[in-house]
Amino acid sequence: MVEDPDAGLVEATGRGDAEAASRLVARHLPRMTALARRMLGDSAEAEDVAQDVFLKVWTQAARWKPGAAKFETWLHRVAINACYDRLRKKRGVGLDEIEERADTAPDPEQTLGQNQTALAVDAALQTLPARQRAAITLCHYQGLTNIEAASTLEISVEALESLLSRGRRALKEKLRHLAGAGASATRTAQA
Amino acid sequence: MVDRMTIERLREILDAYGAEPLHWPPAERITAQAFAARDPRAVALVAEAEALDRLLNMAPVEAPSAALAARVLARRPKVSWLKSLWRDLFPGTPVWRPALGLCAALMLGVGVQAAAADRLGLNESGEVATTTEDTGTDIAPLSGGETISEEDVL
């Protein structure tokens, strides 16, 4: 039996409790929007995905059976699948072939401050194949454990590790020219 | 819980999950942390993973607007008070189950009433039949066919 901190809220939402629904939105909407934003690289599309995810929550809540999987893991799976659907429609190819966008990371001369570094990192993320980006988003940004992330992506833990390693290696290569920026940002934050 | 760690496995963990132990596989976390703390070869590997983590942490993330939260909540289907009451009384139970039970109980009740009426010789208005024509059988009514008035009782 999986211990699920959301079980009570989901059950109450299924009974039509408006207060529980509001709390569920407050707890998960920021994370779902952030996930979709990192997957799609577009804020407006991320908001559409977040709305679709919660529409599914509203229709499923009354039928939710606690114990099988954590609600949050299910929520991540719904969001990732919604993102995959949008990416497929946009590019019309399989997820593994999607080399998302041309590498738009600015060169060192253009990298003037923290803002540009942030944009460069975001752009580099968008150049990763969708599955690698999903793995990094779930583990690094969403803080899911390896087992939760593998379950969300419906792959083995070994396959997840392989996606993560390849993704991080590619990012390291793309962001090599910014390595100093990360260190100086940390020093600034510490000061 | 894994109780053995090697430099090769630690490298794999850092390559995949980065330098933050909270992101490491829970089953290997404690062992990997202890190994990283005592093995001098781990220092460079951890530093390399930390550098990439710092950059990744700089990627922007915007908080959703209040308008988005309002739109999300507005798309919640309205639940009628009857349905809400039903879900309070029978949480997680599909509507058809208690409905089926209720129908079965009703049909049983109607059947029992019909059988009893037939046995007691009641006519359509629930009165005791006074003639054999009323009952449609040769069985005499239990009261003997006489009407007892209120005055007779008092």
Side-chain angles (χ1 to χ4, degrees):
Chain A
M1 184 81 165
V2 182
E3 199 61 39
D4 191 345
D6 291 310
L9 278 183
V10 179
E11 197 196 320
T13 299
R15 289 198 311 267
D17 184 332
E19 174 63 29
S22 293
R23 286 175 59 195
L24 214 52
V25 167
R27 191 187 283 195
H28 294 290
L29 183 64
R31 283 166 64 69
M32 291 303 108
T33 315
L35 181 151
R37 168 68 182 76
R38 294 196 199 286
M39 283 301 294
L40 302 170
D42 182 292
S43 299
E45 271 202 281
E47 291 203 351
D48 290 345
V49 165
Q51 287 193 73
D52 292 347
V53 168
F54 275 92
L55 195 58
K56 201 144 196 179
V57 171
W58 304 148
T59 55
Q60 297 289 319
R63 278 172 278 170
W64 178 256
K65 294 257 184 298
K70 271 167 77 178
F71 173 74
E72 193 181 36
T73 308
W74 175 81
L75 207 57
H76 275 92
R77 188 180 301 160
V78 172
I80 285 284
N81 287 339
C83 291
Y84 279 172
D85 284 347
R86 280 170 185 265
L87 290 170
R88 275 196 205 95
K89 274 182 201 153
K90 238 196 276 188
R91 277 103 184 172
V93 290
L95 292 168
D96 288 327
E97 293 95 82
I98 298 173
E99 182 74 24
E100 294 297 310
R101 291 175 187 175
D103 190 346
T104 53
D107 61 36
E109 282 76 25
Q110 290 174 305
T111 310
L112 299 172
Q114 210 166 319
N115 249 356
Q116 281 90 342
T117 306
L119 291 175
V121 173
D122 194 36
L125 268 172
Q126 296 306 315
T127 65
L128 292 180
R131 288 184 198 277
Q132 291 178 21
R133 189 161 68 253
I136 289 176
T137 300
L138 292 176
C139 290
H140 185 84
Y141 292 113
Q142 301 294 111
L144 266 58
T145 66
N146 58 340
I147 292 169
E148 289 167 342
S151 160
T152 300
L153 297 175
E154 298 177 276
I155 56 176
S156 67
V157 169
E158 290 75 21
L160 172 81
E161 261 185 33
S162 167
L163 287 173
L164 287 168
S165 299
R166 283 185 283 147
R168 284 180 62 97
R169 207 177 307 135
L171 286 173
K172 199 188 292 181
E173 198 53 47
K174 288 174 199 294
L175 300 172
R176 190 171 292 281
H177 63 284
L178 296 175
S184 63
T186 310
R187 280 195 298 274
T188 311
Q190 282 167 348
Chain B
M1 167 77 99
V2 172
D3 57 3
R4 192 172 166 275
M5 184 55 54
T6 62
I7 190 74
E8 289 76 25
R9 180 57 190 150
L10 181 67
R11 185 196 307 270
E12 285 172 2
I13 290 174
L14 292 165
D15 283 350
Y17 301 98
E20 172 53 63
L22 277 176
H23 293 166
W24 295 356
E28 297 175 286
R29 191 177 298 150
I30 293 173
T31 314
Q33 267 186 285
F35 184 90
R38 70 169 181 266
D39 192 307
R41 292 170 298 173
V43 177
L45 296 177
V46 171
E48 200 180 337
E50 267 174 355
L52 182 58
D53 285 351
R54 277 195 297 270
L55 285 172
L56 291 181
N57 290 341
M58 291 171 78
V61 62
E62 303 138 31
S65 63
L68 175 65
R71 281 202 302 278
V72 164
L73 284 167
R75 292 177 76 181
R76 204 167 62 90
K78 299 282 173 285
V79 179
S80 71
W81 69 268
L82 191 61
K83 206 166 185 179
S84 177
L85 178 69
W86 185 279
R87 285 174 184 171
D88 281 341
L89 292 174
F90 306 104
T93 312
V95 168
W96 64 266
R97 277 192 209 160
L100 191 70
L102 193 64
C103 280
L106 270 172
M107 285 170 71
L108 187 68
V110 168
V112 166
Q113 195 264 346
D118 194 36
R119 293 277 295 187
L120 294 171
L122 297 176
N123 63 18
E124 278 177 6
S125 57
E127 293 164 342
V128 177
T130 51
T131 66
T132 53
E133 286 81 25
D134 285 343
T135 61
T137 67
D138 293 334
I139 301 168
L142 293 175
S143 66
E146 290 175 11
T147 305
I148 303 169
S149 68
E150 209 172 302
E151 289 77 23
D152 294 335
V153 178
L154 300 171

